[in-house]
Amino acid sequence: MGRRNSSESLFEQIAVHSGFCVFPPKSIRINAPVADKCGIVRKTVTTPDWYVVDRKSGREVHVEITNSSG
């Protein structure tokens, strides 16, 4: 997948070392379309980089890693 030395792989290593469970991402679907990266309003599904679960509290969060202002 090309994540060997990327920000995504570094995040995974740090999160696992910190005690979180890191899983492949789940797709997020919405009813109302939003703008895609070109500014066209049509996007209804996105897939973040990681799905992270806190072992202690059971809380879950989707994580998107970016190097931009996005």
Side-chain angles (χ1 to χ4, degrees):
M1 195 185 300
R3 291 185 172 181
R4 187 174 211 167
N5 291 316
S6 65
S7 299
E8 290 90 350
S9 64
L10 293 175
F11 171 83
E12 178 189 23
Q13 293 170 11
I14 292 168
V16 169
H17 182 72
S18 299
F20 293 95
C21 295
V22 180
F23 300 101
K26 298 180 178 181
S27 293
I28 301 171
R29 298 180 184 277
I30 58 172
N31 294 328
V34 296
D36 62 10
K37 62 184 176 183
C38 297
I40 301 169
V41 177
R42 63 179 173 190
K43 189 173 182 177
T44 58
V45 178
T46 189
T47 304
D49 293 316
W50 298 111
Y51 180 69
V52 180
V53 178
D54 183 358
R55 292 180 186 174
K56 293 181 181 178
S57 68
R59 290 185 176 176
E60 307 165 341
V61 65
H62 296 276
V63 177
E64 178 69 32
I65 307 296
T66 180
N67 291 328
S68 67
S69 61

